PDB file of all heavy atoms in Angstrom:
ATOM      1  N   TYR A 217       3.671 -12.069   8.688  1.00 97.00           N
ATOM      2  CA  TYR A 217       4.516 -13.091   9.328  1.00 97.00           C
ATOM      3  C   TYR A 217       5.996 -12.903   9.000  1.00 97.00           C
ATOM      4  O   TYR A 217       6.796 -13.704   9.426  1.00 97.00           O
ATOM      5  CB  TYR A 217       4.036 -14.503   8.959  1.00 97.00           C
ATOM      6  CG  TYR A 217       2.794 -14.942   9.740  1.00 97.00           C
ATOM      7  CD1 TYR A 217       2.020 -14.038  10.443  1.00 97.00           C
ATOM      8  CD2 TYR A 217       2.407 -16.256   9.767  1.00 97.00           C
ATOM      9  CE1 TYR A 217       0.882 -14.428  11.147  1.00 97.00           C
ATOM     10  CE2 TYR A 217       1.262 -16.676  10.476  1.00 97.00           C
ATOM     11  CZ  TYR A 217       0.516 -15.753  11.146  1.00 97.00           C
ATOM     12  OH  TYR A 217      -0.624 -16.164  11.844  1.00 97.00           O
ATOM     13  N   VAL A 218       6.351 -11.850   8.263  1.00 98.00           N
ATOM     14  CA  VAL A 218       7.787 -11.512   8.125  1.00 98.00           C
ATOM     15  C   VAL A 218       8.286 -10.882   9.410  1.00 98.00           C
ATOM     16  O   VAL A 218       9.509 -10.761   9.607  1.00 98.00           O
ATOM     17  CB  VAL A 218       8.085 -10.578   6.932  1.00 98.00           C
ATOM     18  CG1 VAL A 218       7.635 -11.184   5.613  1.00 98.00           C
ATOM     19  CG2 VAL A 218       7.507  -9.181   7.121  1.00 98.00           C
ATOM     20  N   PHE A 219       7.387 -10.477  10.308  1.00 98.00           N
ATOM     21  CA  PHE A 219       7.796  -9.833  11.568  1.00 98.00           C
ATOM     22  C   PHE A 219       7.762 -10.832  12.731  1.00 98.00           C
ATOM     23  O   PHE A 219       6.991 -11.805  12.712  1.00 98.00           O
ATOM     24  CB  PHE A 219       6.883  -8.650  11.879  1.00 98.00           C
ATOM     25  CG  PHE A 219       7.025  -7.520  10.882  1.00 98.00           C
ATOM     26  CD1 PHE A 219       5.947  -7.131  10.081  1.00 98.00           C
ATOM     27  CD2 PHE A 219       8.229  -6.847  10.740  1.00 98.00           C
ATOM     28  CE1 PHE A 219       6.073  -6.105   9.179  1.00 98.00           C
ATOM     29  CE2 PHE A 219       8.373  -5.821   9.805  1.00 98.00           C
ATOM     30  CZ  PHE A 219       7.283  -5.445   9.019  1.00 98.00           C
ATOM     31  N   SER A 220       8.573 -10.530  13.752  1.00 96.00           N
ATOM     32  CA  SER A 220       8.718 -11.454  14.896  1.00 96.00           C
ATOM     33  C   SER A 220       7.568 -11.318  15.885  1.00 96.00           C
ATOM     34  O   SER A 220       7.299 -12.244  16.653  1.00 96.00           O
ATOM     35  CB  SER A 220      10.015 -11.158  15.621  1.00 96.00           C
ATOM     36  OG  SER A 220       9.929  -9.885  16.233  1.00 96.00           O
ATOM     37  N   GLY A 221       6.925 -10.145  15.911  1.00 95.00           N
ATOM     38  CA  GLY A 221       5.845  -9.930  16.869  1.00 95.00           C
ATOM     39  C   GLY A 221       6.321  -9.327  18.175  1.00 95.00           C
ATOM     40  O   GLY A 221       5.558  -9.273  19.143  1.00 95.00           O
ATOM     41  N   ASP A 222       7.588  -8.854  18.216  1.00 94.00           N
ATOM     42  CA  ASP A 222       8.101  -8.255  19.467  1.00 94.00           C
ATOM     43  C   ASP A 222       7.622  -6.817  19.673  1.00 94.00           C
ATOM     44  O   ASP A 222       7.782  -6.266  20.746  1.00 94.00           O
ATOM     45  CB  ASP A 222       9.641  -8.238  19.443  1.00 94.00           C
ATOM     46  CG  ASP A 222      10.220  -9.645  19.421  1.00 94.00           C
ATOM     47  OD1 ASP A 222       9.505 -10.556  19.895  1.00 94.00           O
ATOM     48  OD2 ASP A 222      11.332  -9.838  18.926  1.00 94.00           O
ATOM     49  N   ASN A 223       7.055  -6.209  18.613  1.00 94.00           N
ATOM     50  CA  ASN A 223       6.597  -4.808  18.719  1.00 94.00           C
ATOM     51  C   ASN A 223       5.393  -4.692  19.672  1.00 94.00           C
ATOM     52  O   ASN A 223       4.671  -5.678  19.907  1.00 94.00           O
ATOM     53  CB  ASN A 223       6.130  -4.329  17.353  1.00 94.00           C
ATOM     54  CG  ASN A 223       7.194  -3.577  16.594  1.00 94.00           C
ATOM     55  OD1 ASN A 223       8.367  -3.790  16.839  1.00 94.00           O
ATOM     56  ND2 ASN A 223       6.788  -2.708  15.678  1.00 94.00           N
ATOM     57  N   SER A 224       5.162  -3.467  20.136  1.00 93.00           N
ATOM     58  CA  SER A 224       3.899  -3.196  20.818  1.00 93.00           C
ATOM     59  C   SER A 224       3.156  -2.063  20.134  1.00 93.00           C
ATOM     60  O   SER A 224       2.088  -1.637  20.592  1.00 93.00           O
ATOM     61  CB  SER A 224       4.152  -2.884  22.288  1.00 93.00           C
ATOM     62  OG  SER A 224       5.132  -1.879  22.376  1.00 93.00           O
ATOM     63  N   THR A 225       3.721  -1.567  19.041  1.00 97.00           N
ATOM     64  CA  THR A 225       3.027  -0.582  18.196  1.00 97.00           C
ATOM     65  C   THR A 225       3.064  -1.080  16.755  1.00 97.00           C
ATOM     66  O   THR A 225       3.948  -1.878  16.404  1.00 97.00           O
ATOM     67  CB  THR A 225       3.719   0.806  18.253  1.00 97.00           C
ATOM     68  OG1 THR A 225       5.101   0.635  17.939  1.00 97.00           O
ATOM     69  CG2 THR A 225       3.573   1.453  19.631  1.00 97.00           C
ATOM     70  N   PRO A 226       2.120  -0.636  15.902  1.00 98.00           N
ATOM     71  CA  PRO A 226       2.014  -1.202  14.549  1.00 98.00           C
ATOM     72  C   PRO A 226       3.315  -1.126  13.750  1.00 98.00           C
ATOM     73  O   PRO A 226       4.027  -0.110  13.772  1.00 98.00           O
ATOM     74  CB  PRO A 226       0.908  -0.347  13.930  1.00 98.00           C
ATOM     75  CG  PRO A 226       0.046   0.043  15.076  1.00 98.00           C
ATOM     76  CD  PRO A 226       0.988   0.280  16.213  1.00 98.00           C
ATOM     77  N   TYR A 227       3.627  -2.175  13.040  1.00 98.00           N
ATOM     78  CA  TYR A 227       4.849  -2.269  12.239  1.00 98.00           C
ATOM     79  C   TYR A 227       4.767  -1.340  11.020  1.00 98.00           C
ATOM     80  O   TYR A 227       3.808  -1.385  10.259  1.00 98.00           O
ATOM     81  CB  TYR A 227       5.054  -3.696  11.736  1.00 98.00           C
ATOM     82  CG  TYR A 227       5.592  -4.620  12.779  1.00 98.00           C
ATOM     83  CD1 TYR A 227       4.770  -5.452  13.526  1.00 98.00           C
ATOM     84  CD2 TYR A 227       6.975  -4.699  13.007  1.00 98.00           C
ATOM     85  CE1 TYR A 227       5.293  -6.324  14.484  1.00 98.00           C
ATOM     86  CE2 TYR A 227       7.507  -5.559  13.971  1.00 98.00           C
ATOM     87  CZ  TYR A 227       6.653  -6.363  14.693  1.00 98.00           C
ATOM     88  OH  TYR A 227       7.167  -7.200  15.646  1.00 98.00           O
ATOM     89  N   THR A 228       5.818  -0.542  10.831  1.00 98.00           N
ATOM     90  CA  THR A 228       5.918   0.257   9.601  1.00 98.00           C
ATOM     91  C   THR A 228       6.735  -0.537   8.581  1.00 98.00           C
ATOM     92  O   THR A 228       7.433  -1.501   8.929  1.00 98.00           O
ATOM     93  CB  THR A 228       6.608   1.611   9.880  1.00 98.00           C
ATOM     94  OG1 THR A 228       7.881   1.349  10.494  1.00 98.00           O
ATOM     95  CG2 THR A 228       5.780   2.493  10.808  1.00 98.00           C
ATOM     96  N   GLU A 229       6.678  -0.070   7.336  1.00 98.00           N
ATOM     97  CA  GLU A 229       7.296  -0.803   6.232  1.00 98.00           C
ATOM     98  C   GLU A 229       8.799  -0.921   6.385  1.00 98.00           C
ATOM     99  O   GLU A 229       9.417  -1.868   5.872  1.00 98.00           O
ATOM    100  CB  GLU A 229       6.963  -0.106   4.891  1.00 98.00           C
ATOM    101  CG  GLU A 229       5.524  -0.235   4.424  1.00 98.00           C
ATOM    102  CD  GLU A 229       4.552   0.720   5.121  1.00 98.00           C
ATOM    103  OE1 GLU A 229       4.949   1.447   6.056  1.00 98.00           O
ATOM    104  OE2 GLU A 229       3.381   0.725   4.738  1.00 98.00           O
ATOM    105  N   ASP A 230       9.430   0.068   7.032  1.00 97.00           N
ATOM    106  CA  ASP A 230      10.904   0.067   7.099  1.00 97.00           C
ATOM    107  C   ASP A 230      11.432  -0.653   8.335  1.00 97.00           C
ATOM    108  O   ASP A 230      12.643  -0.717   8.576  1.00 97.00           O
ATOM    109  CB  ASP A 230      11.453   1.499   7.011  1.00 97.00           C
ATOM    110  CG  ASP A 230      10.800   2.407   8.038  1.00 97.00           C
ATOM    111  OD1 ASP A 230      10.019   1.890   8.869  1.00 97.00           O
ATOM    112  OD2 ASP A 230      11.052   3.621   8.007  1.00 97.00           O
ATOM    113  N   GLN A 231      10.539  -1.240   9.135  1.00 97.00           N
ATOM    114  CA  GLN A 231      11.056  -1.945  10.316  1.00 97.00           C
ATOM    115  C   GLN A 231      11.631  -3.294   9.940  1.00 97.00           C
ATOM    116  O   GLN A 231      11.211  -3.903   8.936  1.00 97.00           O
ATOM    117  CB  GLN A 231       9.949  -2.090  11.360  1.00 97.00           C
ATOM    118  CG  GLN A 231       9.760  -0.789  12.113  1.00 97.00           C
ATOM    119  CD  GLN A 231       8.839  -0.914  13.276  1.00 97.00           C
ATOM    120  OE1 GLN A 231       7.632  -1.041  13.118  1.00 97.00           O
ATOM    121  NE2 GLN A 231       9.384  -0.908  14.483  1.00 97.00           N
ATOM    122  N   LYS A 232      12.605  -3.733  10.767  1.00 97.00           N
ATOM    123  CA  LYS A 232      13.352  -4.934  10.426  1.00 97.00           C
ATOM    124  C   LYS A 232      12.476  -6.180  10.480  1.00 97.00           C
ATOM    125  O   LYS A 232      11.764  -6.397  11.434  1.00 97.00           O
ATOM    126  CB  LYS A 232      14.520  -5.063  11.439  1.00 97.00           C
ATOM    127  CG  LYS A 232      15.617  -5.975  10.966  1.00 97.00           C
ATOM    128  CD  LYS A 232      16.819  -5.864  11.905  1.00 97.00           C
ATOM    129  CE  LYS A 232      17.745  -7.065  11.818  1.00 97.00           C
ATOM    130  NZ  LYS A 232      17.988  -7.600  10.495  1.00 97.00           N
ATOM    131  N   ALA A 233      12.564  -6.964   9.396  1.00 97.00           N
ATOM    132  CA  ALA A 233      11.853  -8.237   9.374  1.00 97.00           C
ATOM    133  C   ALA A 233      12.625  -9.270  10.179  1.00 97.00           C
ATOM    134  O   ALA A 233      13.858  -9.244  10.200  1.00 97.00           O
ATOM    135  CB  ALA A 233      11.692  -8.705   7.939  1.00 97.00           C
TER     136      ALA A 233
END
Side-chain angles (χ1 to χ4, degrees):
Y217 283 14
V218 301
F219 294 117
S220 68
D222 296 335
N223 264 25
S224 51
T225 53
Y227 281 97
T228 55
E229 289 79 355
D230 52 7
Q231 281 189 287
K232 199 171 159 40

